[in-house]
Amino acid sequence: MLAHSMADTESSPRTERIAARLRQVPLFAHLTDAELGRIAAVSRTRAFPKQSVILFESDPGDALYVVLGGEVKVVLTGEDGREVILSILKDGDFFGEMALIDDRPRSANVVATVDSMLLVLRREDFQACLEENPRIAFGLLRELSLRLRQADDKIGGLVLLDVNGRIARLLLTLADEHDGLSMPRTVTHHTIAQMIGSTRETVSRTLRDLQDRELIRVTRERIAVIDRAGLERLASTR
Ligand code: CMP
């Protein structure tokens, strides 16, 4: 049973609203209405303003978070304040599972990049939820495999590609997350630098170079992919 079971609690409009929202979260999408209702009843929603730190690296882990609205970045910060962005998570994504699974401290900081609304599920409720629903455990494993693949790709890119290749690869990924053809300029040069382990100046210079080679077009609002095959060649590690 969930630690704070809803079995004997009336469902409220709030619970129903959250359960409906949870149905759109891939990790929970296959649950029954009753199961979603139980999770909704024991979890809470919490707003985090832009730039607020949601989790601190090395803190003990006491909850799982689901992004209901907004965006967060998973970051490691060096002693000198430099940051590397490990991942950007959006609507429907979850985080904070690692410390709950392996009982070790948080592996990274998680920071809201825009005003965000999160669902917070306490450790014991998350664990009960996994025990009650093996399919959630399987969904979690799938997502962890995907994240490991992405991390492998990133390590491969850092070792095997130059900055051109790393930027080409990131641009293709970001374009694919939008319409496949372009991405909004909300992704700043500074953010791109933090995602590929480079500097803002190098990113600006490389983007100009890619534009001169007619691989991309940079406008005030968007970065458009002009020559996909050309970018793919640069981004290839084989
Ligand atoms: P936890 O270690 O509890 O707290 C930080 C969270 O950041 C971690 O759980 C994951 O949910 C998330 N995280 C850590 N590394 C990555 C990564 N490489 N890609 C995506 N998410 C990550």
Side-chain angles (χ1 to χ4, degrees):
M1 288 297 281
L2 291 170
H4 298 272
S5 175
M6 230 215 109
D8 46 3
T9 313
E10 289 296 314
S11 101
S12 67
R14 174 204 166 272
T15 308
E16 280 168 26
R17 207 174 52 246
I18 295 176
R21 185 65 191 78
L22 288 180
R23 182 162 296 295
Q24 297 158 348
V25 172
L27 187 63
F28 300 128
H30 56 272
L31 297 185
T32 64
D33 287 344
E35 287 165 340
L36 285 174
R38 282 209 295 279
I39 295 175
V42 295
S43 55
R44 64 196 172 96
T45 50
R46 203 175 145 194
F48 287 87
K50 179 176 175 167
Q51 306 291 9
S52 55
V53 182
I54 302 158
L55 296 184
F56 285 94
E57 185 182 352
S58 303
D59 272 3
D62 53 4
L64 173 89
Y65 295 78
V66 180
V67 184
L68 296 182
E71 186 188 270
V72 304
K73 59 179 177 181
V74 181
V75 287
L76 294 177
T77 311
E79 298 243 318
D80 57 1
R82 279 188 307 155
E83 279 189 355
V84 52
I85 300 180
L86 299 176
S87 184
I88 292 192
L89 304 174
K90 302 189 170 148
D91 269 26
D93 288 331
F94 62 84
F95 60 91
E97 76 294 345
M98 289 170 61
L100 304 190
I101 293 172
D102 65 10
D103 274 329
R104 297 171 63 134
R106 295 296 190 194
S107 58
N109 301 300
V110 182
V111 181
T113 56
V114 297
D115 290 348
S116 299
M117 183 61 74
L118 304 181
L119 181 94
V120 188
L121 188 60
R122 299 182 335 157
R123 167 190 283 269
E124 52 273 35
D125 292 322
F126 169 65
Q127 283 169 346
C129 187
L130 282 184
E131 276 162 30
E132 280 183 15
N133 300 287
R135 288 170 73 187
I136 294 189
F138 190 71
L140 197 65
L141 284 175
R142 274 182 75 95
E143 179 62 26
L144 292 181
S145 296
L146 178 68
R147 288 182 188 178
L148 186 56
R149 280 178 193 275
Q150 290 167 341
D152 288 352
D153 265 359
K154 198 166 208 158
I155 296 166
L158 285 171
V159 176
L160 302 171
L161 294 175
D162 60 10
V163 176
N164 285 305
R166 281 185 253 156
I167 292 187
R169 186 182 270 197
L170 180 64
L171 293 178
L172 288 168
T173 305
L174 293 174
D176 288 344
E177 284 174 9
H178 289 91
D179 53 6
L181 302 170
S182 68
M183 71 223 66
R185 287 292 293 282
T186 45
V187 189
T188 64
H189 294 188
H190 184 57
T191 304
I192 292 177
Q194 290 180 328
M195 293 176 88
I196 59 151
S198 183
T199 62
R200 190 174 51 76
E201 294 74 16
T202 305
V203 169
S204 301
R205 190 165 8 90
T206 308
L207 288 176
R208 273 199 305 278
D209 181 52
L210 293 177
Q211 169 148 270
D212 291 345
R213 292 159 68 185
E214 297 187 344
L215 294 166
I216 60 170
R217 185 166 49 240
V218 184
T219 60
R220 261 167 68 91
E221 281 85 30
R222 304 190 79 75
I223 300 177
V225 173
I226 305 297
D227 178 356
R228 190 177 181 95
L231 285 179
E232 281 170 351
R233 268 194 302 279
L234 279 181
S236 170
T237 51
R238 282 170 245 288

